[in-house]
Amino acid sequence: MQNDTQQFPFRDNYTDEPEWSYNLRKTAWENYFRMPVPSRVDHIWKYSDPADYLPEYTADLFSGLPLVAPNGHSLKPEDQAEWAGAMGATLDQFYSVTTLPAELRKKGVIFMGLSQALRQHPELVQGKLGGLIASDFGKIENLNQAFWNTGFFLYVPDNVVIERPVHIQRNFEAPVSMTRLLVITGSNSQLTLVDDLTAPDGNPAGQVNSVNEIFAGENSSLDYVFLQRLQKNQKLYYTHRGEVARDGRMRSHFLSLGANTGKANIGVTLAGEGADSRLQGLLFGHDTQRFDHHTRHRHTAGNTYSKLDMKVAVRDKANSAYTGLIEIEEDAKNCEAYQENRNLILSETAKAESIPELEIKNNEVSCSHGVTMGSIDPEMLFYMQSRGLFSEEAIQMYVHGFYASIIDELPEAIRELARDLLDEQIGSKSVAA
């Protein structure tokens, strides 16, 4: 990694990017050099080396500018999944393009590349971009703020219901990709968003640094699905923060299936009374994949509810580490918070670790957490084989049953896709009991 003591001045603003956005980038670049590399003593870095997620030469990132897609870069009707009502995609590495039905545009829905939104809708973006993941968040997040060059912006006004899911397919082909997502939903709105991280077959090895900020308005309902199916030669560093206002409902579904190495820092803040957050994770690792996930539910308002269900299965020489924090502030009375992590270990060389954490600052709460570790029950495996299943078939059926509750909670439109992707991973090579 490049020596951080050798500071490069940030580039001039020779694009038409608004001054406020350019200043955010410049400040983030300065903070990147100011902040030390995260210490392995910090519990969220206990299982990963921060150097794995820092580019070797940061100066090379100056060549990637925040571009607006030119005419001619657009999606074709056949590019859109049948279940999707609108779609965004990354084309030619650097262009974020979208489609949106006319009836949603008439209702005030805005869906476009984030670079375009900076210019056309600063009144919506300014103050929200970097609002949940600010300059003091972390070194790697500052690198993203300084250099993101692809990303999407989605705004749903008050009282607007989007009935069919919005599908974002972010395709990563560059050696280093910096991407960002900003979502704002108004009061009494409804949205299902599928955030699909992919890369083409044969893609060269690369790093992906992705940051999401999602604001759910009062009494809104938002289902967010994160579908990570990168190639096995890619590394992913992913930071996600959501904020739920009064009486809002956020359902977050995280499916981690791809990448060689992936670190995720996922958090939701319950900021208004009556806010409700349900967070589910599905992780399947095989070969030499290494995953490190951290989740955080932070209750800053009273009478809020959170529930987390993380299920992990690993085989071959795969490795998973999970840390989960429930944090309830002093003034957040009458909160309920639950956290569960179940781990299924399918081979003697696979490994899973889990550290649940509670930080409760008042006594008027109901809160619990639990962790399980285990392999397939031999008696169950024998029973399935006695009914005519081969060993591998029985194990695959068992794994599907292990994940069934997570799949069943997904938005109905993508359950079949999720099952198919899981089938590909489970069946990619024989599973050892």
Side-chain angles (χ1 to χ4, degrees), residues 246-260:
R246 179 186 293 271
D247 295 324
R249 170 191 173 276
M250 183 180 289
R251 301 291 181 266
S252 307
H253 315 265
F254 295 87
L255 283 66
S256 296
L257 301 172
N260 176 58

Side-chain angles (χ1 to χ4, degrees), residues 158-373:
D158 295 348
N159 306 309
V160 172
V161 175
I162 299 182
E163 295 181 355
R164 297 174 64 195
V166 176
H167 181 202
I168 298 177
Q169 191 168 65
R170 298 199 258 181
N171 302 296
F172 299 111
E173 304 176 55
V176 179
S177 298
M178 298 281 176
T179 185
R180 205 159 183 116
L181 173 67
L182 176 61
V183 178
I184 304 170
T185 66
S187 60
N188 305 304
S189 63
Q190 293 184 29
L191 167 69
T192 296
L193 174 62
V194 179
D195 189 10
D196 190 356
L197 277 63
T198 67
D201 291 338
N203 192 64
Q207 291 183 328
V208 177
N209 182 331
S210 179
V211 169
N212 287 2
E213 295 173 297
I214 300 181
F215 297 83
E218 291 188 3
N219 199 41
S220 65
S221 178
L222 192 155
D223 270 84
Y224 170 77
V225 181
F226 176 77
L227 182 56
Q228 191 274 98
R229 46 173 168 165
L230 296 174
Q231 297 296 322
K232 294 299 190 295
N233 58 358
Q234 292 180 297
K235 295 179 180 180
L236 171 67
Y237 184 85
Y238 172 70
T239 308
H240 173 100
R241 284 296 182 269
E243 182 180 271
V244 190
R246 179 186 293 271
D247 295 324
R249 170 191 173 276
M250 183 180 289
R251 301 291 181 266
S252 307
H253 315 265
F254 295 87
L255 283 66
S256 296
L257 301 172
N260 176 58
T261 302
K263 180 166 179 58
N265 185 342
I266 299 164
V268 176
T269 298
L270 296 101
E273 288 210 1
D276 184 318
S277 172
R278 316 289 174 98
L279 196 159
Q280 293 186 309
L282 182 160
L283 188 156
F284 184 83
H286 63 95
D287 293 330
T288 58
Q289 286 181 292
R290 181 163 51 88
F291 294 104
D292 181 354
H293 283 59
H294 173 75
T295 64
R296 179 192 187 197
H297 262 135
R298 181 169 178 245
H299 296 248
T300 61
N303 299 295
T304 51
Y305 179 92
S306 70
K307 183 178 180 181
L308 179 138
D309 186 4
M310 173 73 73
K311 290 191 175 181
V312 174
V314 285
R315 73 175 193 221
D316 306 323
K317 295 182 180 180
N319 190 313
S320 168
Y322 169 72
T323 57
L325 172 63
I326 297 173
E327 183 179 3
I328 302 181
E329 298 295 337
E330 185 176 355
D331 295 331
K333 309 290 186 180
N334 303 314
C335 295
E336 293 185 57
Y338 305 99
Q339 179 175 277
E340 185 173 20
N341 172 221
R342 296 185 181 184
N343 298 272
L344 181 62
I345 302 173
L346 298 168
S347 66
E348 293 182 355
T349 52
K351 186 177 180 181
E353 298 188 53
S354 179
I355 302 178
E357 299 173 305
L358 303 177
E359 188 174 329
I360 312 300
K361 300 177 182 178
N362 76 78
N363 296 322
E364 298 178 40
V365 301
S366 176
C367 189
S368 67
H369 61 80
V371 173
T372 62
M373 296 275 180

